[in-house]
Each structure stands twice: as C-alpha cells, then as structure tokens.
Amino acid sequence: MKLFIYHTPELTPTDTVPDCAIAVDVLRATTTMATVLAAGGEAIQVFSDLDTLIDVSAAWDASKRLRAGERGGAKVEGFDLGNSPLDCTQTLVAGRRLFISTTNGTRALQRIQNAPAVLAAAFVNRAAAVNYLLAKQPETVWIVGSGWEGTYSLEDTACAGAICHSVLQQANIPLAELAGNDEVVGAIALYEQWQDRLVELFHQASHGKRLLRLNCDDDLKYCAQVDVLDVLPIQQEPGVLKLLG
Ligand code: MLT
C-alpha cells in the first residue's frame, strides 16, 4: 500500500485514479456525512451546484429527503439544514436521504468520484477508514483534503495525517515505503504535534476561526472527537454514498 495526501481538490491529479480515494473535510462536511449515516440516514448525495441539488431532490418523496446547503459556513436560505453535524439527530435523519452541497467538501468528493473506491472520512470515523484500508490493502490510496476555496486547511491535513499515522502503526510497513509523497510525512508530524489538542488546533485554523465567528464552538468540539463513529460512507454510484455493506 502507498499513501498519497493532496491538500486540496485543486492539487489532486486529474490524469489518473488511485485504487482508493478518501475525501476529508473535518470542518464539517465529511464529519456531517458520517454522523448522518450513523444516525440511520439512507444515503448522502452530493452536489457542487445548489440548483442541481434542488432539481434532483425534487423527484424524491418529500418525507424521505433532507436538503442541506452551506456557503461560507452558513446555512443557505430555504434549505432544511446547513452543514452542522449537531443538527443531524436520529429523529430527523433516520430513513432519509441527505442531498447536500457545501463550499468545499462536496467538491472534493466530486473530484475523486471516478476512483473504484471512494470514502468519506473525518476524525470521528478515522478508525473505520483505517480498518477498511488494512482489510482491503489497496495499492494506491489518495487522501484529499477539501481545503478552503483552493487553499490549504490545517484540520484536513491533520486528519489525513491521523489516518496515515494509524496505518503506519498497524500495517508494519516502513514510513519510507508507505509514504507516496512528502505530504504524508508532513501530515503525520502535524497530527503527532496536535493529537491531544485538536480543539486548540481548530482554533488556529482559518475555517475554525470562521466557524467560531458564526458561534459554532460546539461544532468544533464535536468534530475533534476521534474514532467515535464506527461508520464508513462509501460511494455506491457517482455522488451517492452509503454505509459499507
Ligand atoms: C465545506 O464544505 O467547505 C465545509 O464543510 C464548510 C462548513 O463548515 O460548513
């Protein structure tokens, strides 16, 4: 197995695909996706464009769908939800499909959607992603941070580092062999530096600061939990993610 990290969708190669690609948007899209599926959501369907989301979801029974729209960290007017995982209670989401468009996370998923296996990971379900890699042993794995409008995000790279760190500990493969690019070594170091202070790290991050300005302090605490959800969103058809199995 060789792991590669790309900090943003824009830095992700377009001329080839890996055996497995993992989108990471810790704050907050992939955390929200794992939360929805853990709470009994039927599926997640991702869109980069809000109008397309409205059109496609209109064909779905209204009692079986939820529309989530986020731009700039805030809920889009007229949508059922923004992008806070704290809103995704079992009562609300069980049995329903989440149609979601966010500023960066859903774009990251679309960028990697041609890979044969596409996963969504965050700190909350890090172990589930690692267990998948250890069980399936894909030859090449890309971990793609969502970033913010083309720029680097600390929290996504730290989470990518957490995934690599755990694979390194369990797979018995030397770092020099496991790391497909320099980003992997850097991300592991970032994670090791902050692993016991993830909320503090989020407070240093530009998108963490943006969410704090929007009074989302509790979202940051929720998203900083590690290995608390044993669920793995995996793409079943382009843009549609369900639980593995
Ligand atoms: C995104 O897709 O950029 C994020 O998930 C934004 C957010 O925190 O809602």
Side-chain angles (χ1 to χ4, degrees), residues 133-230:
L133 296 178
L134 296 174
K136 302 283 181 189
Q137 294 285 330
E139 254 177 58
T140 50
V141 180
W142 292 0
I143 307 173
V144 176
S146 299
W148 187 267
E149 295 180 339
T151 61
Y152 174 91
S153 280
L154 265 179
E155 67 279 7
D156 293 340
T157 297
C159 182
I163 294 169
C164 297
H165 181 265
S166 184
V167 172
L168 184 65
Q169 283 188 329
Q170 297 182 66
N172 206 19
I173 306 172
L175 178 60
E177 223 175 277
L178 188 67
N181 61 5
D182 289 3
E183 285 85 335
V184 170
V185 182
I188 291 174
L190 179 70
Y191 171 68
E192 285 176 340
Q193 172 89 7
W194 291 91
Q195 58 183 317
D196 300 322
R197 296 175 293 140
L198 290 176
V199 176
E200 218 180 295
L201 175 67
F202 295 175
H203 280 245
Q204 305 298 325
S206 55
H207 187 48
K209 290 177 182 162
R210 183 179 294 107
L211 289 173
L212 289 171
R213 287 195 294 275
L214 294 166
N215 301 317
C216 296
D217 309 45
D218 289 344
D219 286 50
L220 265 56
K221 290 184 196 140
Y222 179 86
C223 296
Q225 301 174 97
V226 183
D227 301 343
V228 292
L229 299 179
D230 188 19

Side-chain angles (χ1 to χ4, degrees), residues 25 27-29 70 73 83 102-106 148 207 211:
D25 186 2
L27 298 175
R28 295 162 294 175
E70 169 275 329
N83 186 24
T102 71
T103 313
N104 305 286
T106 52
W148 187 267
H207 187 48
L211 289 173

Side-chain angles (χ1 to χ4, degrees), residues 20 33-34 37-38 41-44 116-120 125 127-136 230-236 240-245:
C20 176
M33 290 173 194
L37 293 184
E42 181 265 333
I44 311 288
V118 176
L119 316 177
N125 69 337
V130 170
N131 291 340
Y132 176 93
L133 296 178
L134 296 174
K136 302 283 181 189
D230 188 19
V231 294
L232 188 60
I234 182 160
Q235 183 174 264
Q236 307 288 316
V240 178
L241 294 102
K242 295 189 178 185
L243 283 186
L244 180 63

Side-chain angles (χ1 to χ4, degrees), residues 2-6 12-13 16-24 30 108-121 129 132-133 138-145 163 232-235 241:
K2 259 213 191 307
L3 306 177
F4 298 77
I5 293 175
Y6 299 103
T12 305
T16 176
V17 289
D19 298 309
C20 176
I22 306 176
V24 174
T30 54
L109 274 162
Q110 288 192 323
R111 177 59 80 99
I112 57 174
Q113 71 181 8
N114 293 331
V118 176
L119 316 177
Y132 176 93
L133 296 178
E139 254 177 58
T140 50
V141 180
W142 292 0
I143 307 173
V144 176
I163 294 169
L232 188 60
I234 182 160
Q235 183 174 264
L241 294 102

